[in-house]
Each structure stands twice: as structure tokens, then as C-alpha cells.
Amino acid sequence: MKAECRGTEIDLNNAELKSYFETFYNTFSYLNITGIDIEAEPKLEGPVFSVKYTFKDGTSTAIDLVSAGNESECYIFANGEYTGTLTDPSFMTGTYSMLSAYENLCRQSDLTPNN
């Protein structure tokens, strides 16, 4: 029950902040696999999205998305390794997107959005 955004702890005991954080978290926690390309050899350079999950036991997993050269697909990396899968990055922008949820979370927790 600990959350942090850009080095600032989010008070999950505050029900409103917890709700905003859960909405934000859920926008990127379930990536929709839209394709498989095991022949591709993308490099982990200039990710358009990065997240690091740290678990109770201290281990962590990093997920990075790198543009596949078009607006409709990103390569998925886990812990720096290409997974052979692609996802649609549309979850990042729009009315009910990760960016919108992030801005709402920042407003409620007195953080300045940092795109």
C-alpha cells in the first residue's frame, strides 16, 4: 500500500487520492498485446513510456515501450529485453487516458505534471 510518483509519496490513506492513483495505475497496468514480431530487433532507445514496479520483497520489473515507427504500435520491453510483442499506445492520450489520469492525480496530490 505504498505509491510514489516522481519521488513524491502518494498518501493512499486518503480515499480520494487512492482513487485517483488506482485510476492512473489501471490505465497502464494491463497492456493489450496487439501483435507479435519475433523477427524484429528493436533497441531500447527513446522509450515513449517507462514504468518500474517494485514488489514487497524488493524485486522490481521495468516495462518500456518504444515506438515501432508508426503511431499505432510500440515494442514492449521487460527488464531491458524485447519481449517479441507489440501494443497499441492509444492508452496514453485522450479523455480517459493515462495522461488524463496522471494530470488528475497530480492536481489532487499537489504535484506539477511532468510530461
Side-chain angles (χ1 to χ4, degrees):
M1 292 301 296
K2 182 177 178 184
E4 195 174 283
C5 183
R6 294 188 343 267
T8 300
E9 190 168 336
I10 304 297
D11 181 8
L12 296 180
N13 292 316
N14 176 315
E16 188 175 20
L17 285 180
K18 182 177 179 183
S19 174
Y20 279 105
F21 179 77
E22 286 174 346
T23 299
F24 170 60
Y25 179 84
N26 287 334
T27 62
F28 60 81
S29 290
Y30 307 100
L31 293 177
N32 184 27
I33 305 299
T34 58
I36 296 173
D37 187 349
I38 58 173
E39 301 297 321
E41 296 180 7
K43 296 184 185 208
L44 180 50
E45 296 175 350
V48 296
F49 175 78
S50 296
V51 65
K52 180 180 176 184
Y53 300 95
T54 303
F55 305 102
K56 281 184 175 184
D57 66 2
T59 62
S60 63
T61 297
I63 303 294
D64 295 284
L65 304 183
V66 174
S67 176
N70 58 55
E71 293 182 16
S72 64
E73 291 183 310
C74 285
Y75 297 113
I76 302 173
F77 288 78
N79 294 323
E81 299 292 324
Y82 173 54
T83 63
T85 57
L86 296 107
T87 189
D88 177 349
S90 63
F91 73 91
M92 290 191 270
T93 59
T95 304
Y96 302 104
S97 68
M98 177 190 63
L99 182 57
S100 176
Y102 173 70
E103 289 172 345
N104 287 334
L105 172 65
C106 287
R107 260 193 302 282
Q108 293 303 313
S109 57
D110 295 326
L111 292 169
T112 303
N114 180 12
N115 301 329

